[in-house]
Amino acid sequence: MCNPEFEDGVRDKVRKLIVHTGELRLKFSDIEEGHREGNLDREGLGELNQVVHLLEKDAAEFERLLELS
């Protein structure tokens, strides 16, 4: 059977996952460049940690949605 709440939830989470994955790639590239230049700092690692946290939240939301199905 069709579950509109589940389908809408999955669509929303996939959109967020795509955005957060893009953010992670950009942050990683910035931090990698800083590392090459010898400028690996705490702030950059903190930003990378925040984006990883967003991806972890996305994964938890997928788990929640799967419980609804």
Side-chain angles (χ1 to χ4, degrees):
M1 292 192 80
C2 184
N3 182 339
E5 181 183 358
F6 176 77
E7 290 176 9
D8 291 345
V10 168
R11 281 187 191 96
D12 181 54
K13 296 307 164 198
V14 167
R15 282 186 207 105
K16 287 182 180 178
L17 182 61
I18 290 167
V19 168
H20 295 155
T21 302
E23 289 176 11
L24 179 61
R25 173 52 57 200
L26 290 173
K27 287 291 175 197
F28 177 80
S29 295
D30 289 346
I31 290 169
E32 183 179 40
E33 182 64 28
H35 181 271
R36 276 192 221 124
E37 296 172 356
N39 298 324
L40 185 59
D41 62 1
R42 200 167 194 73
E43 182 181 340
L45 290 175
E47 290 174 359
L48 186 59
N49 183 52
Q50 288 175 340
V51 178
V52 169
H53 177 70
L54 290 173
L55 291 172
E56 290 169 339
K57 278 180 57 177
D58 294 341
E61 282 297 312
F62 274 111
E63 289 176 344
R64 184 190 69 79
L65 286 171
L66 289 173
E67 290 172 0
L68 293 176
S69 65

